[in-house]
């Protein structure tokens, strides 16, 4: 039941972010030699994801273009990880969505990309980082215990840095 609720929430957030209900996924147009962000679940392997959030392993829960994983922390807490690459999305649209749902946001520049943190003021164990790169890329990290430690923003940023690094930036 908990997985169904999480997947439903992730789908609702992504639908709100994407503004699309047709279910049709366009394939990105790629230059030769660029990674296919939709192959598997983005450019990071499960091993790299586990390393970035300091856990032994993650278990894939869904597939592209929105992908989710769960990971068991040494503290016996579970963390949920969500990756979304939305081709036609913009940071301006994401900021509107965040404001509508009452999230706190903080603008940032990561490498050469504009971006933002999303924080749910009702859940200190939840944080996302979104950057603009051929649409938007988002990593959302949520400690199921709702505890602020381990830091979900640091984990989301670590995953984003690893993603942009693979993307050749």
């Amino acid at each position: 039941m908990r997985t169904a609720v999480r997947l439903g929430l992730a789908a609702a957030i992504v639908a709100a972010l994407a503004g699309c209900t047709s279910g049709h996924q366009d394939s990105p147009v790629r230059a030769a030699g660029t990674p296919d962000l939709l192959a598997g679940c983005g450019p990071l392997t499960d091993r790299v994801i586990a390393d970035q959030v300091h856990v032994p392993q993650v278990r894939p829960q869904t597939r592209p273009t929105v992908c989710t994983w769960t990971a068991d922390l040494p503290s016996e807490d579970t963390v949920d990880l969500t990756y979304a690459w939305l081709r036609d999305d913009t940071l301006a649209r994401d900021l509107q969505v965040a404001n509508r749902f009452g999230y706190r946001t903080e603008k940032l520049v990561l490498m050469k990309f504009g971006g933002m943190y999303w924080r749910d003021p009702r859940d200190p164990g939840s944080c996302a980082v979104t950057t603009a790169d051929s649409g938007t890329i988002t990593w959302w990290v949520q400690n199921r215990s709702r505890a602020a430690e381990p830091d979900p923003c640091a984990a989301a940023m670590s995953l984003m840095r690893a993603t942009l690094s693979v993307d050749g930036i």
Side-chain angles (χ1 to χ4, degrees), residues 20-35:
C20 174
T21 59
S22 70
H24 175 70
Q25 303 288 337
D26 289 331
S27 295
V29 176
R30 298 185 305 123
T34 62

Side-chain angles (χ1 to χ4, degrees), residues 69-84:
W69 297 263
T70 59
D72 298 320
L73 299 171
S75 65
E76 298 186 20
D77 189 12
T78 300
V79 103
D80 295 316
L81 310 166
T82 303
Y83 166 84

Side-chain angles (χ1 to χ4, degrees), residues 1 26 36 47 68 102 112 147 169:
M1 174 74 172
D26 289 331
D36 181 356
R47 176 78 262 139
T68 62
K112 65 179 182 179
I169 306 309

Side-chain angles (χ1 to χ4, degrees), residues 2-134:
R2 184 177 225 170
T3 299
V5 170
R6 278 188 296 115
L7 293 176
L9 179 60
I13 289 171
V14 169
L17 290 173
C20 174
T21 59
S22 70
H24 175 70
Q25 303 288 337
D26 289 331
S27 295
V29 176
R30 298 185 305 123
T34 62
D36 181 356
L37 297 179
L38 299 180
C41 267
L44 301 183
T45 66
D46 289 358
R47 176 78 262 139
V48 170
I49 292 167
D51 290 347
Q52 295 303 312
V53 295
H54 310 290
V55 296
Q57 68 178 7
V58 295
R59 297 175 301 282
Q61 301 293 306
T62 58
R63 291 289 174 220
T65 60
V66 176
C67 304
T68 62
W69 297 263
T70 59
D72 298 320
L73 299 171
S75 65
E76 298 186 20
D77 189 12
T78 300
V79 103
D80 295 316
L81 310 166
T82 303
Y83 166 84
W85 177 77
L86 304 171
R87 180 180 180 181
D88 296 320
D89 198 23
T90 66
L91 286 176
R93 173 142 168 69
D94 287 359
L95 186 57
Q96 290 173 344
V97 170
N99 289 334
R100 184 171 59 224
F101 286 103
Y103 290 103
R104 291 188 331 256
T105 60
E106 177 184 336
K107 293 179 182 178
L108 61 92
V109 175
L110 181 60
M111 297 176 186
K112 65 179 182 179
F113 298 103
M116 68 181 195
Y117 282 103
W118 304 55
R119 292 183 177 92
D120 183 346
R122 298 165 301 273
D123 183 358
S126 178
C127 184
V129 174
T130 297
T131 60
D133 179 20
S134 308

Side-chain angles (χ1 to χ4, degrees), residues 125-155:
S126 178
C127 184
V129 174
T130 297
T131 60
D133 179 20
S134 308
T136 59
I137 298 171
T138 300
W139 276 102
W140 194 281
V141 176
Q142 183 176 26
N143 299 325
R144 286 191 189 169
S145 67
R146 300 174 74 99
E149 293 296 324
D151 183 353
C153 290

